[in-house]
Amino acid sequence: MRVMDLTERIEKEIPREQALDWDNVGLLVGDKEQEIHKVYVALDLTDAVLEHAIDCGADMILTHHPLIFGGIKRVNADDFIGRRILALAQHGIAYYAMHTNFDVCVMGQIAAEQLGLMDIEALEVTSPEDGRGIGCLGKLTQAVSIYDLAERVRDAFGLSHVKVFGDKDRMVQSIAMCPGSGKSEIGLAIEKGVDAYITGDIDHHSGIDAVADGLSIIDAGHYGIEHIYMEYMKNWLAKEAAELEVVTEPFAEPFWIVTR
């Protein structure tokens, strides 16, 4: 299979055109005519991911977050992006990213399903023709305390911890989710009138201000929900590109915490 054969299959389900304007998705490094046999799937193209991909003999890497966002004027070993691009080229590894297009087409739906929400729809519709967009709205089968919901989020996504803004005894049932960094969608979650918002990267003031506006927030971290991309793509590739060998980066929260 060539790189372009795989990317064409991917883009039938996750079109690049669904990405937001500021994003950078698609084949970022490599030759579309290159033959590939083993694909490595990860959330980010870190040094460790690149090393693992090289060690296992992968000839293509798929990630959710793009390594390259802004313009690049030179590619050399003076910075980590240049070093990674050089390593990809030196080892003949093609590199493809699907970011906000994956969010719009897939991420919110599978996150909501993993948490067991019902009546799922997009939080912010970016594709009016099909109603798809960023994040999701849904409902629990019955109201639970925000403390119980926080435990459910932690366990559903296999996390070490989550952070909560709001009264732990408050009962919630209507839920908004935005996997990744969702601070910019707080206002929309409040406008939609949901009880709780599950996302990541919430700072102190955004959290306490949301509570003042009647919204409880569960911060599961940026990695905390989005890591489901890896399992989804592993399963998708097994079905849609069974001739390829697929390896996924092991689950590992990209930080460690100190507790008393």
Side-chain angles (χ1 to χ4, degrees):
M1 179 184 290
R2 297 170 300 172
V3 167
M4 66 183 297
D5 298 324
L6 177 58
T7 60
E8 285 174 358
R9 294 183 195 184
I10 290 172
E11 289 168 12
K12 286 181 180 178
E13 179 172 344
I14 308 167
R16 283 182 295 163
E17 294 74 21
Q18 293 280 12
L20 302 186
D21 292 342
W22 51 264
D23 207 359
N24 188 34
V25 301
L27 183 64
L28 303 188
V29 178
D31 180 354
K32 65 183 181 180
E33 299 287 349
Q34 177 186 333
E35 288 286 331
I36 55 172
H37 305 279
K38 182 181 286 190
V39 175
Y40 198 89
V41 180
L43 196 67
D44 299 277
L45 183 49
T46 62
D47 289 335
V49 164
L50 185 52
E51 181 180 343
H52 297 162
I54 292 169
D55 288 346
C56 79
D59 37 34
M60 187 168 184
I61 297 174
L62 302 180
T63 69
H64 180 48
H65 298 130
L67 172 66
I68 304 168
F69 262 114
I72 295 180
K73 293 185 177 181
R74 58 187 62 85
V75 177
N76 58 42
D78 291 343
D79 63 78
F80 72 89
I81 295 178
R83 287 194 298 272
R84 292 174 192 171
I85 294 171
L86 288 172
L88 288 167
Q90 289 165 358
H91 290 88
I93 301 175
Y95 169 51
Y96 186 93
M98 57 193 91
H99 188 210
T100 53
N101 52 331
F102 186 88
D103 291 337
V104 168
C105 295
V106 180
M107 186 72 84
Q109 182 73 26
I110 60 174
E113 290 173 355
Q114 190 151 325
L115 192 60
L117 299 184
M118 306 181 303
D119 303 328
I120 303 166
E121 59 184 81
L123 172 59
E124 179 188 0
V125 175
T126 59
S127 180
E129 61 273 14
D130 55 25
R132 296 193 293 190
I134 299 295
C136 62
L137 299 170
K139 292 183 178 179
L140 300 169
T141 54
Q142 62 183 26
V144 299
S145 72
I146 191 69
Y147 183 91
D148 289 340
L149 179 60
E151 288 192 317
R152 184 182 300 188
V153 171
R154 180 198 63 196
D155 295 344
F157 297 98
L159 306 177
S160 62
H161 70 286
V162 297
K163 181 170 65 176
V164 184
F165 292 92
D167 180 353
K168 68 183 180 66
D169 295 320
R170 184 190 180 201
M171 300 301 287
V172 298
Q173 187 167 13
S174 58
I175 309 296
M177 294 183 72
C178 184
S181 184
K183 173 182 172 179
S184 62
E185 304 293 336
I186 289 177
L188 188 54
I190 293 170
E191 180 183 317
K192 296 290 185 179
V194 299
D195 301 323
Y197 181 42
I198 303 165
T199 188
D201 295 347
I202 299 299
D203 64 83
H204 170 78
H205 291 289
S206 297
I208 63 173
D209 291 350
V211 171
D213 275 328
L215 181 68
S216 299
I217 293 184
I218 297 173
D219 185 339
H222 198 122
Y223 181 93
I225 299 175
E226 287 195 326
H227 71 80
I228 60 177
Y229 162 85
M230 296 186 289
E231 185 69 17
Y232 178 89
M233 287 308 301
K234 176 183 177 181
N235 294 334
W236 186 91
L237 289 164
K239 180 178 65 174
E240 302 293 339
E243 60 267 54
L244 294 173
E245 183 178 351
V246 180
V247 181
T248 57
E249 177 73 1
F251 172 87
E253 292 172 296
F255 55 83
W256 52 277
I257 57 177
V258 178
T259 59
R260 184 176 296 279

